Amino acid sequence: MTMDRPFFVTTPIYYVNDLPHLGHAYPTVAADALARFMRLDGRRVKFLTGTDEHGQKVEQSARAAGVSPQEFADRNSAAFREMDRLLDISNDDYIRTTEKRHIRGVQALWRELERRGEIYLGRFAGWYAVRDEAFYDESELVEGKAPSGADVEWFEEDNYFFRLSAWQDRLLDYYEANPEAIAPRSRRNEVISFVKGGLKDLSISRTSFSWGIPVPGNPKHVIYVWLDALTNYITAIGYPETESAEFGVFWPVAHHIVGKDILRFHAIYWPAFLMAAGLPAPRRIFAHGWWTVEGQKMSKSLGNGVPPEFLVGKYGVDPARYFLLRELPFGNDGDFSHRAVVGRLNGDLANDFGNLAQRVLVMISRNCGAGVPEPGTFEATDTALLDSARGLLETVRAHVSEQAFHWALEAIWRVVGDANRYVDEQAPWVLSRSDPGRMRTVLYTLAETLRHLAILVQPFVPGSAGRLLDQLAVPEAERCFTALAEAPLRPGTRLPKPEGIFPRFVEEAVR
Ligand code: MSP
């Protein structure tokens, strides 16, 4: 049955000229939350990430480091895998563009485009920014630089071109027919107006350096790094074998998570390449915003890159994940500051959720013989809380399906807030003496609410949610979303000793 609802989610593949930092952790954590959510929701998921290893930028960085491009790529690709491990990323595959399966697929795509008359040999003369691995028109330059601020250089060489100009109308038709394909809406509008402004044919090969995939039949040329890189999304599912099991299931249901800086490549070039090769364009491309750090742009020279080891070492993996997904509306720019992280950590996590769980579990352990209490008759206030917990899945699902992770978390925390108010109002510590039967109903209501909350936060803070579910003695098989309605806590189930799940962040004393 799940075969009917496959879900394919990807991160950008990261350039190996840099080491991982917050800017890379962000799309990876977002894609991970999406993948985990869909798995728990019964979908058949493929979650792909990896590294982008060819091109002039990587070649230059390897040279500067005094090693071969392959050695350089091996080393830094391993650092991105380590980032995934640290951040508890649940990817099903990891693609490197230097792998055989990828090279073979890219060359096959090239041949297909050539066979269909989409490629011709011409002469390129124009501006190129190595940092962006992108061509720019004279009219796009801002004070002699690329719009991104990258330095540009003039170059002229014989290049193969892709007939991008011929795809303008069909791209516009694709955007029109699929209003959800490019998000957020403001970005979609930008893409549409760019395409309406007219498209030029795109240079898709280079001869002035050699670190890339050779053009089939003319190995003096290497394939343009963006054509190479974008193709990872299909080589990882078996392209050119379009009849293969994975390709048939996961294309075109792809959800590409990308930064706003690389939206043009994904929303214009990629669908055009695909359609030109006779393949459907992806289901959705979501462009997220950019983080600054303590108000400043992240840069190598400032050394303010915030590596994943720092994030996880200082704050812990789940708090870091929570912060990234809760702090900003996905799509907006924002600032990563120590103060803001500690605010969320001590506020939302430790005070609101952590305390709620701790209070409830400790009271159960002390007053109910360390087992799930037997409830009596539910009163309206109990049912109101339980109903708000039971209604969460639908709300959270709607937000997650639009990649509105912050709204999803906000909705979950609204119920955390309801539950905290309910504890205060019901005061089960008073009931323990005055009305133990009523206390058991109240504590059952709270424990069952916690079960809902813990199941629903798994995609975002998987380790902590798992520990909370352990403390509620929820078996592995009952942690998916169908269990929300089907497997309420069973009175009498023994519960382990309560342990805090979200510790407070305490600043180290400055001596
Ligand atoms: N290799 C290309 C992507 C090819 S995908 C077929 C690339 N790599 S990258 O390593 O430079 O960037 C990867 C992603 O990291 C981009 O989506 C970019 O938006 C994101 N970020 C890099 N710095 C960032 C911030 N400061 N904030 C948020 N995301 C940022 O581009």
Side-chain angles (χ1 to χ4, degrees):
M1 199 196 72
T2 57
M3 287 286 280
D4 306 336
R5 302 164 65 231
F7 186 84
F8 181 27
V9 56
T10 69
T11 71
I13 49 171
Y14 302 107
Y15 284 130
V16 288
N17 68 301
D18 205 356
L19 284 170
H21 57 63
L22 172 69
H24 308 113
Y26 188 44
T28 294
V29 164
D32 184 63
L34 201 50
R36 286 177 182 272
F37 186 93
M38 295 302 171
R39 285 191 204 108
L40 289 164
D41 212 14
R43 312 274 300 255
R44 176 169 173 194
V45 171
K46 173 146 178 133
F47 170 18
L48 174 70
T49 185
T51 42
D52 187 354
E53 307 188 0
H54 290 128
Q56 199 170 356
K57 177 154 78 172
V58 173
E59 190 182 82
Q60 285 176 357
S61 304
R63 193 174 304 133
V67 292
S68 72
Q70 188 64 61
E71 249 180 284
F72 187 75
D74 289 347
R75 197 156 74 196
N76 285 6
S77 181
F80 281 94
R81 270 184 202 263
E82 177 59 11
M83 168 178 90
D84 294 344
R85 198 188 62 77
L86 285 169
L87 292 169
D88 211 354
I89 301 304
S90 65
N91 56 303
D92 303 292
D93 197 351
Y94 187 94
I95 193 158
R96 301 182 52 186
T97 55
T98 50
E99 284 173 52
K100 257 205 202 84
R101 61 169 170 164
H102 177 74
I103 294 171
R104 195 176 135 256
V106 171
Q107 289 184 326
L109 180 70
W110 181 284
R111 274 191 229 101
E112 185 61 18
L113 292 172
E114 203 164 39
R115 194 179 69 75
R116 290 168 175 260
E118 299 288 346
I119 290 178
Y120 63 91
L121 191 60
R123 188 155 179 84
F124 181 88
W127 297 103
Y128 193 76
V130 176
R131 198 178 87 192
D132 301 346
E133 297 283 16
F135 302 96
Y136 291 104
D137 222 38
E138 181 80 39
S139 63
E140 288 179 285
L141 302 187
V142 183
E143 292 172 2
K145 291 190 184 252
S148 61
D151 289 329
V152 292
E153 54 190 286
W154 180 261
F155 88 89
E156 287 189 39
E157 56 178 39
D158 288 339
N159 280 178
Y160 285 95
F161 284 81
F162 169 69
R163 293 188 199 283
L164 183 62
S165 57
W167 288 89
Q168 180 173 351
D169 290 343
R170 280 167 289 185
L171 282 168
L172 292 170
D173 292 346
Y174 159 63
Y175 308 139
E176 171 108 0
N178 301 279
E180 302 301 321
I182 297 170
R185 195 144 288 255
S186 56
R187 299 270 167 225
R188 171 177 191 265
N189 295 340
E190 279 170 29
V191 166
I192 292 177
S193 64
F194 184 84
V195 173
K196 281 190 174 154
L199 295 174
K200 289 205 177 120
D201 290 351
L202 178 70
S203 162
I204 52 165
S205 77
R206 299 289 304 274
T207 54
S208 51
F209 67 96
S210 60
W211 180 237
I213 301 180
V215 165
N218 192 351
K220 274 211 322 266
H221 291 252
V222 294
I223 297 176
Y224 175 41
V225 65
W226 272 100
L227 172 54
D228 167 347
L230 289 161
T231 308
N232 90 86
Y233 301 133
I234 55 174
T235 57
I237 50 172
Y239 185 84
E241 273 83 47
T242 50
E243 304 301 315
S244 71
E246 284 217 317
F247 196 93
V249 171
F250 293 116
W251 200 262
V253 297
H255 285 56
H256 300 311
I257 303 291
V258 304
K260 62 179 185 178
D261 54 317
I262 58 172
L263 180 60
R264 199 187 282 188
F265 302 96
H266 282 82
I268 301 174
Y269 300 172
W270 180 226
F273 293 150
L274 286 163
M275 293 192 284
L279 296 170
R283 180 70 43 91
R284 187 158 168 100
I285 303 162
F286 191 103
H288 64 74
W290 267 53
W291 288 96
T292 49
V293 175
E294 306 289 347
Q296 282 180 312
K297 223 181 137 187
M298 252 185 276
S299 80
K300 270 190 188 164
S301 52
L302 287 173
N304 60 347
V306 196
E309 313 74 84
F310 173 86
L311 271 179
V312 171
K314 189 158 179 100
Y315 306 113
V317 51
D318 283 343
R321 290 174 59 112
Y322 176 81
F323 178 79
L324 291 178
L325 297 175
R326 176 64 185 89
E327 185 69 2
L328 299 186
F330 202 53
N332 289 18
D333 294 339
D335 188 46
F336 182 95
S337 71
H338 175 69
R339 241 183 83 146
V341 181
V342 172
R344 289 266 173 218
L345 231 138
N346 286 345
D348 303 6
L349 295 182
N351 281 354
D352 298 346
F353 201 153
N355 259 347
L356 170 70
Q358 184 74 1
R359 283 160 101 186
V360 173
L361 291 166
V362 168
M363 277 186 282
I364 292 180
S365 148
R366 291 202 186 133
N367 300 300
C368 308
V372 175
E374 177 80 45
T377 315
F378 291 107
E379 292 181 6
T381 113
D382 314 329
T383 320
L385 180 63
L386 287 170
D387 284 349
S388 68
R390 289 177 187 138
L392 261 183
L393 174 62
E394 207 182 313
T395 313
V396 172
R397 185 190 278 133
H399 292 315
V400 170
S401 67
E402 298 194 330
Q403 291 80 55
F405 305 109
H406 66 296
W407 286 127
L409 288 165
E410 209 249 4
I412 297 174
W413 256 257
R414 220 174 304 138
V415 176
V416 170
D418 292 345
N420 273 318
R421 271 185 299 280
Y422 172 90
V423 184
D424 293 341
E425 282 160 19
Q426 299 299 319
W429 51 91
V430 176
L431 293 171
S432 75
R433 262 168 269 131
S434 61
D435 189 349
R438 174 73 195 139
M439 173 201 72
R440 283 192 288 275
T441 308
V442 166
L443 290 178
Y444 181 87
T445 302
L446 283 162
E448 179 58 6
T449 303
L450 273 181
R451 183 184 70 91
H452 274 80
L453 294 169
I455 288 178
L456 285 164
V457 291
Q458 290 176 99
F460 310 98
V461 289
S464 314
R467 285 189 291 280
L468 181 52
L469 289 165
D470 290 345
Q471 295 188 44
L472 290 165
V474 174
E476 280 296 332
E478 293 177 7
R479 296 182 179 192
C480 57
F481 295 158
T482 48
L484 284 169
E486 290 171 7
L489 289 174
R490 284 178 284 277
T493 309
R494 287 208 63 74
L495 300 181
K497 191 172 169 300
E499 270 164 39
I501 38 162
F502 290 119
R504 280 187 73 77
F505 181 88
V506 183
E507 297 285 355
E508 277 169 33
V510 187
R511 292 183 196 208

